[in-house]
Amino acid sequence: MLKTLFKYVSFLLVCALWPQYIWADVSVNPLFSDHMVIQRETKIPIWGWADPNEAVVVTGSWGKIAKTVTGADGTWRVDLQTPKAGGPFSISISGNNKIEINDVLSGEVWLCTGQSNMDFALEKFLNDAKEPQYQPLVDYIRAEVAQANDNQLRHIEVRRNTSLFEKQTTFKGAWVSATGEDVKKITATGYFFAKALRKALNVPVGLVECSWGGTRVQPWISEETYNSDPHLKAYFEANRKTVSRTIEIMDAPGYVDTLYQQNLATWQAKGSKGRAPKPTTHPTKNMQEPATLYNGMLNAIIPYAIKGAIWYQGESNAKYLPESYKMYFTAMIKGWRSAWGQGDFPFYWVQLAGCERGDKAANDGWAMVNNELRKSLDLPNTGMAVLHDIGEASDIHPHNKMDAGERLSLWALKNEYGITVEAVSGPLYKTFKVKQNKIQITFTDVASGLQVAKKQGLAKPVISDEPLSGFEILGPDGIWLPAQAKISAKAKIEVWNDSISQPKAVRYAWTGFPDKANLYNSAGLPAAVFSTEQ
């Protein structure tokens, strides 16, 4: 009895002293480490842990100092004024011990996030293309990787991590630069975005990557955001009830994964051909559960000072609530902005590149997500790069991240850096008007005007004398039919089908791989996927 009591008291004592054991020395988030890039000419948060009530002093070698005293929980934060672009600088953090952070650059910091087309590093695109016409893109990336030598372009990645209930405050990671073998580790989309900024601005650029292939938008949304809206809250609470039941079942003694056993037996009976079935994923390890990636990954880098964010995601929502994508996506952006405390920082994303999907539902869902992404542009300080013309029919991970990054950069260059560009976007649907048996569509972002064009590889689109293509029109019977179209003015087209006398709506590039869509503006940027239906 006494032995048991002694163990219990010892346990309580350890628990009481646990924060001191953890934070006896001043420590910081891994973002604050050698080779980091800080956002220039602003006040940046720097934070970490130490003993309760410990004095912490943060000093920048450029002559700025910030001081604080840790709270009762051992956490601390200061806001430090940063210098003009340049470096290398150093940052020292002093408490009971001292941390020196060296080779610090001051420049532009961008968050790169989403699923695999953001997650995939340059090394993922070095293998031969699935279709020979895309092999020149592989060759281009191979040459880029071999020749890259830019110490002013840097990158840090948050490792994949799920956390269903608890917000994580740290992660394992290190800054690398676009030199030698390290360049292969950098997100390909982010790299070409940053390269365009580097060329135009000639300042250091840092990329903070927080992405995971195959993920939906729902796990990137915080619990607070879910609870702030009745519709989102109902979805979240229903999920949590299901999750709780599943955890109870899977954690019970003697649990047997019956479904997995059945699938495995069926697979073996068929000769063990094809992909083997996988065991049921425990909810705490499931990357798709609402809030789990916000908790497990994103929260660990908030509120690191950033200029803005770029987002490449939506593929995994093509068959999961595609019609509601805007609701979740815009809620996510608002939630991130609120958590960061930087106001409505720039948030730019892509409309998905073209790719042949497995069936009509998947193709329609792909187009639906693209349309929802377009509609999300009503959120302030946002922008969208259109990519349907640079996809690959047989590969959901198209190699042309060069155009993807460059098209994203157009928004940043114009809006954040005041650099003149011919256009930031391809034509965007604005309004429609029914005129007898035709529907007139008006666009914004046409530059000098609309044109029919065709793009191949990395070459600029070439003006074509082919008719406009990729349009469908809806009749009173609710059936969509292919439509004819022609440019009728600088920013207008007319769409019709001779068999429909009372047209109701028009849609464009409405499939997974809209290779016939050929409407561009004079800047060589493709028109966005759209539907006039509400």
Side-chain angles (χ1 to χ4, degrees):
M1 179 69 179
L2 288 175
K3 187 176 182 181
T4 301
L5 180 62
F6 176 79
K7 288 182 177 179
Y8 179 72
V9 172
S10 298
F11 173 76
L12 292 179
L13 182 62
V14 169
C15 289
L17 296 176
W18 188 247
Q20 284 91 329
Y21 289 147
I22 297 176
W23 313 126
D25 287 336
V26 171
S27 62
V28 290
N29 188 288
L31 289 163
F32 306 103
S33 55
D34 290 350
H35 319 302
M36 68 184 293
V37 181
I38 54 177
Q39 182 60 39
R40 60 174 168 163
E41 298 178 271
T42 189
K43 284 193 172 183
I44 63 167
I46 300 177
W47 69 92
W49 304 269
D51 280 341
N53 302 313
E54 181 176 342
V56 177
V57 180
V58 180
T59 305
S61 64
W62 54 93
K64 295 298 181 180
I65 299 176
K67 303 178 181 180
T68 191
V69 175
T70 62
D73 61 354
T75 61
W76 61 268
R77 168 182 164 170
V78 299
D79 293 332
L80 185 70
Q81 180 65 43
T82 57
K84 293 181 179 179
F89 301 103
S90 63
I91 299 174
S92 67
I93 303 170
S94 300
N96 291 338
N97 59 304
K98 188 174 183 179
I99 298 172
E100 286 286 348
I101 305 172
N102 298 306
D103 189 29
V104 176
L105 298 182
S106 182
E108 296 299 300
V109 180
W110 284 82
L111 174 67
C112 304
T113 185
Q115 59 178 106
S116 55
N117 274 304
M118 184 67 77
D119 188 19
F120 275 19
L122 285 162
E123 64 186 357
K124 291 281 190 177
F125 296 99
L126 299 178
N127 295 326
D128 287 346
K130 294 180 179 179
E131 299 175 79
Q133 66 265 39
Y134 302 114
Q135 188 60 32
L137 300 172
V138 176
D139 297 338
Y140 183 97
I141 296 174
R142 287 173 178 169
E144 182 72 30
V145 167
Q147 299 167 10
N149 185 31
D150 189 355
N151 187 46
Q152 304 275 296
L153 195 168
R154 298 183 179 180
H155 171 267
I156 188 170
E157 181 178 6
V158 181
R159 294 184 184 178
R160 298 174 178 180
N161 184 48
T162 59
S163 184
L164 190 59
F165 302 113
E166 300 296 329
K167 288 185 172 68
Q168 303 302 303
T169 56
T170 190
F171 67 100
K172 292 183 179 180
W175 288 89
V176 299
S177 62
T179 59
E181 288 295 304
D182 282 345
V183 71
K184 296 179 181 179
K185 304 173 185 177
I186 299 176
T187 158
T189 298
Y191 173 83
F192 289 107
F193 170 81
K195 186 178 179 181
L197 297 191
R198 289 274 299 124
K199 181 179 179 181
L201 305 175
N202 194 30
V203 301
V205 175
L207 303 176
V208 179
E209 185 197 341
C210 187
S211 55
W212 189 334
T215 56
R216 302 167 185 155
V217 68
Q218 284 77 16
W220 295 105
I221 302 172
S222 70
E223 183 173 349
E224 291 81 0
T225 299
Y226 278 112
N227 287 330
S228 68
D229 176 89
H231 299 290
L232 295 174
K233 185 176 182 179
Y235 168 83
F236 183 77
E237 290 181 344
N239 172 269
R240 282 295 186 260
K241 287 180 181 179
T242 301
V243 162
S244 295
R245 288 195 298 268
T246 303
I247 290 175
E248 185 178 355
I249 293 169
M250 295 186 74
D251 289 353
Y255 165 73
V256 176
D257 192 345
T258 305
L259 180 60
Y260 168 65
Q261 296 293 348
Q262 292 174 346
N263 291 338
L264 182 63
T266 301
W267 178 73
Q268 291 172 338
K270 294 182 178 180
S272 301
K273 296 179 180 179
R275 186 175 297 177
K278 295 181 179 180
T280 302
T281 303
H282 194 281
T284 58
K285 301 296 183 183
N286 188 346
M287 65 184 184
Q288 303 293 18
E289 301 296 355
T292 192
L293 299 186
Y294 182 95
N295 290 342
M297 297 174 67
L298 196 79
N299 191 73
I301 60 174
I302 298 172
Y304 193 73
I306 57 175
K307 186 67 173 182
I310 56 174
W311 170 265
Y312 197 142
Q313 191 277 335
E315 299 95 332
S316 290
N317 281 97
K319 294 189 76 171
Y320 185 82
L321 303 177
E323 70 287 346
S324 303
Y325 188 87
K326 179 189 176 183
M327 177 179 70
Y328 290 98
F329 182 50
T330 54
M332 184 200 79
I333 296 172
K334 292 175 184 177
W336 288 17
R337 285 172 167 175
S338 176
W340 240 279
Q342 284 191 206
D344 290 344
F345 60 76
F347 202 106
Y348 302 136
W349 62 82
V350 304
Q351 251 191 356
L352 303 176
C355 182
E356 285 283 5
R357 310 312 300 133
D359 51 50
K360 186 179 186 303
N363 277 311
D364 284 347
W366 197 270
M368 197 174 295
V369 167
N370 273 336
N371 194 41
E372 292 285 295
L373 286 160
R374 178 192 63 82
K375 292 193 293 183
S376 299
L377 288 169
D378 59 11
L379 207 61
N381 210 16
T382 58
M384 183 180 75
V386 180
L387 305 186
H388 65 74
D389 64 333
I390 61 172
E392 299 178 26
S394 302
D395 198 335
I396 200 170
H397 306 115
H399 291 80
N400 191 351
K401 296 298 185 284
M402 293 69 79
D403 276 314
E406 186 173 341
R407 288 176 183 178
L408 281 166
S409 77
L410 295 174
W411 288 93
L413 291 175
K414 179 182 178 181
N415 294 345
E416 274 56 68
Y417 306 114
I419 293 176
T420 300
V421 298
E422 187 176 356
V424 293
S425 170
L428 295 171
Y429 161 67
K430 182 181 180 182
T431 59
F432 83 100
K433 182 186 294 185
V434 178
K435 298 179 69 176
Q436 297 180 344
N437 69 326
K438 296 181 179 179
I439 293 183
Q440 182 184 82
I441 307 292
T442 302
F443 296 90
T444 64
D445 296 271
V446 300
S448 298
L450 297 170
Q451 64 181 22
V452 179
K454 189 173 182 63
K455 179 173 173 59
Q456 289 186 331
L458 287 174
K460 297 292 183 183
V462 177
I463 296 176
S464 170
D465 58 2
E466 295 179 356
L468 270 181
S469 184
F471 291 90
E472 295 175 275
I473 197 164
L474 182 68
D477 57 2
I479 297 175
W480 288 96
L481 294 177
Q484 295 175 271
K486 71 174 183 179
I487 297 170
S488 57
K490 175 183 176 181
K492 295 180 180 180
I493 66 169
E494 290 183 340
V495 185
W496 73 96
N497 181 298
D498 290 333
S499 68
I500 298 176
S501 59
Q502 296 178 302
K504 301 298 181 183
V506 167
R507 64 188 188 188
Y508 175 69
W510 203 264
T511 186
F513 190 65
D515 57 330
K516 304 300 181 185
N518 59 1
L519 179 63
Y520 286 75
N521 62 18
S522 60
L525 296 172
V529 178
F530 74 89
S531 174
T532 65
E533 273 195 309
Q534 297 299 315

